[in-house]
Amino acid sequence: MEEAEAIQLREVLSIARIAEYEARCDGQTMAALRLHCWNTEICAAFYGPLQYLEVALRSVLSRELVRLFQRAGRWEDADLHFGGSAQDR
């Protein structure tokens, strides 16, 4: 990447956002953009495991709530009354 391209990319991503990375890279825009890309790669690496954790946690919580309250289908229960916007959701 050329320096001119880095400056344009910095403005597109937002100067305020890249400024945090530049502060860690002694004001070097190219290094800051590389750090920003590395941060994106790290976030992507965690996405899959976090997705499985979230699904597993919901499943376990659901199973345990059914066991604890001895009833399944809590959302379909006719005796369960939501008010206002909660019912719409």
Side-chain angles (χ1 to χ4, degrees), residues 12-71:
V12 169
L13 293 176
S14 104
I15 293 170
R17 179 176 184 86
I18 299 303
E20 295 179 33
Y21 293 91
E22 286 177 328
R24 297 204 177 261
C25 297
D26 298 322
Q28 298 177 25
T29 300
M30 300 272 283
L33 289 170
R34 282 193 297 274
L35 183 59
H36 184 272
C37 288
W38 179 79
N39 182 64
T40 301
E41 291 171 9
I42 294 297
C43 290
F46 277 102
Y47 181 78
L50 284 174
Q51 182 181 12
Y52 285 112
L53 175 63
E54 186 261 339
V55 170
L57 183 60
R58 277 192 295 128
S59 295
V60 168
L61 283 171
S62 180
R63 183 186 68 222
E64 292 303 310
L65 286 170
V66 166
R67 185 186 63 74
L68 180 65
F69 294 106
Q70 299 176 356
R71 58 190 259 205

